[in-house]
Each structure stands twice: as structure tokens, then as C-alpha cells.
Amino acid sequence: GSIVGHILGDGSIDKRYKQISFSNSNKFLLKEFSDYMKKIFKIRPRIWMQKEPDFGNTEWDRKLKEIDELLEGRNCSLFYPTICGVILNLLFDNFAIGKKKKITEKILDTDKNFKKGLIRAFYDNECNVNKSGFIRLFQDRKEVLETFRAILKEFNIETGQIKTYIKKDKNRYYFNIYGKDNFLKFYKKIGLTSPKKAERLNKLIHLI
């Protein structure tokens, strides 16, 4: 579930070569993805660090031996061979092909333990825990947010309505989770791997 959630968030399965990649600057999330991939597939990734951001351009700096070598503020990508991407798309009915990602019926038919990993990883990639009193999930794909609202309801976590705004001439969508009861349920039933987001959630619970 965590692997699928990370791929749906900041990962991808290449359309042509079927290779998996996961990109992030958070070492905790990179290590989580790497650990689960090693547990399931017995494969270590090729690790490449990007150069400093330059107006959205991606250029590689150098290959790393370990995730711990990643410099602060830099992005890093983990790459896995074709066989891993082929297997995952066979298992979950082509949920990620290039930029086209979706939550398939096979994903929805999984158990709660899988869905816990799915939500946790996706939120680690895509959410904002705001000190003003909400957890916000962003997404370009409205249908993905609709599905996550339904999955959260299975954990008795209530969500706000999906809203939209314009960013760079493009519609972007989000919904919020409000209230101490819902924050506690999310904290206890789902959790967050990112230490910064987990700390903000803990503070949010104690502030209300």
C-alpha cells in the first residue's frame, strides 16, 4: 500500500520502459520507499541526486551510494528496473502509466492495512498540515480526491468538500480534514512518516 501510495504521489512508472522512479527531498520518505521495495522485490535502487533547482528544470548532479549522502534541500530519485513496474501494474490493473495515474478497482478491493499504507504515503507526498487548523490534500486530478474521501470514510474520518482554485492557469483541487476528533483518528489509524508533518499534526491536536 505504501509503495502504491508513493508512486501515485511523487513517483511514476515510465510509459515506455516500465521502470519505477520515486523522487523526493525527504530522506525519511525515500528510505521508507526503498525499504519496502527491498522487502517486496529484494532490489536496491539506483540513486541519483539532482542539481539545485533551476526554474523547474531537472538536471542530475551525481549518482549516490546511499540515501544519507543526499545534500540538504536537494531532490533525489530512486530508480528500479522494468520487472518491478510490470509486476505492480499487473497486480493493480495499470494504476500508473507515465503521467496517467488512477486508483483502480483492484486497489479499492484491498484490505484496510493496505489502504492505511496507501493513504499515509500519499498524504506524506501531497498534504499540508496547517497550523490554522486543517489537513489539506492537494491534487490536479479531482477524481483521485473523490476516491480518497471515500477511503477515509472507511476509517470514519470525515472530510470537507472538494474545492478548486487556479494555479498557473490550471485548475487544482483540494479538500480539508477539520476537527480534533478527525485529527486524532488520522493520527491513530493512519499516521505520517514525514517527521515535520507528524510534528505539525501532533501540535494541531494539542492546540485544539
Side-chain angles (χ1 to χ4, degrees), residues 37-70:
M37 287 293 289
K38 186 177 179 182
K39 183 177 181 179
I40 300 297
F41 292 103
K42 315 299 182 191
I43 294 175
R44 285 174 50 85
R46 290 177 290 115
I47 309 169
W48 282 86
M49 180 173 67
Q50 296 178 11
K51 292 184 178 180
E52 292 185 10
D54 179 22
F55 302 106
N57 294 325
T58 300
E59 290 188 38
W60 302 112
D61 188 326
R62 63 181 184 271
K63 188 176 181 180
L64 307 179
K65 291 182 179 179
E66 301 291 341
I67 292 169
D68 281 329
E69 296 176 15
L70 179 64

Side-chain angles (χ1 to χ4, degrees), residues 137-206:
L137 188 64
F138 297 92
Q139 191 59 212
D140 290 336
R141 297 155 290 168
K142 187 178 181 181
E143 66 277 7
V144 171
L145 290 185
E146 289 170 345
T147 306
F148 268 99
R149 288 183 74 226
I151 297 173
L152 285 164
K153 199 159 189 177
E154 293 180 29
F155 291 85
N156 294 316
I157 298 171
E158 298 296 326
T159 64
Q161 296 297 312
I162 295 174
K163 298 182 179 180
T164 185
Y165 66 98
I166 305 295
K167 184 177 181 180
K168 295 181 180 178
D169 298 322
K170 184 178 180 181
N171 279 338
R172 191 156 168 79
Y173 303 92
Y174 70 92
F175 69 78
N176 295 337
I177 296 173
Y178 296 104
K180 187 171 183 177
D181 286 346
N182 285 315
F183 297 153
L184 276 169
K185 287 175 187 175
F186 193 96
Y187 181 82
K188 291 178 179 179
K189 295 180 179 182
I190 308 297
L192 290 164
T193 298
S194 167
K196 287 183 179 179
K197 290 182 180 179
E199 184 182 357
R200 288 177 195 160
L201 177 57
N202 191 39
K203 286 181 179 178
L204 202 57
I205 290 167
H206 288 90

Side-chain angles (χ1 to χ4, degrees), residues 17-20 43-46 79-86:
Y17 298 106
K18 311 297 189 293
Q19 295 176 342
I20 294 173
I43 294 175
R44 285 174 50 85
R46 290 177 290 115
F79 293 98
Y80 292 87
T82 296
I83 187 63
C84 300
V86 169

Side-chain angles (χ1 to χ4, degrees), residues 61-131:
D61 188 326
R62 63 181 184 271
K63 188 176 181 180
L64 307 179
K65 291 182 179 179
E66 301 291 341
I67 292 169
D68 281 329
E69 296 176 15
L70 179 64
L71 299 178
E72 188 70 26
R74 297 282 191 94
N75 247 42
C76 177
S77 291
L78 310 180
F79 293 98
Y80 292 87
T82 296
I83 187 63
C84 300
V86 169
I87 288 172
L88 284 176
N89 265 331
L90 280 172
L91 286 173
F92 301 108
D93 199 17
N94 293 323
F95 76 102
I97 300 178
K99 293 182 179 181
K100 293 183 179 180
K101 304 178 191 177
K102 58 185 177 180
I103 301 174
T104 62
E105 289 298 323
K106 286 188 178 180
I107 292 174
L108 291 175
D109 286 341
T110 57
D111 62 21
K112 274 197 168 183
N113 191 50
F114 183 101
K115 288 175 181 173
K116 173 184 174 180
L118 175 78
I119 297 169
R120 183 174 185 148
F122 196 75
Y123 263 79
D124 269 317
N125 285 271
E126 304 291 336
C127 90
N128 172 29
V129 182
N130 194 289
K131 62 182 180 180

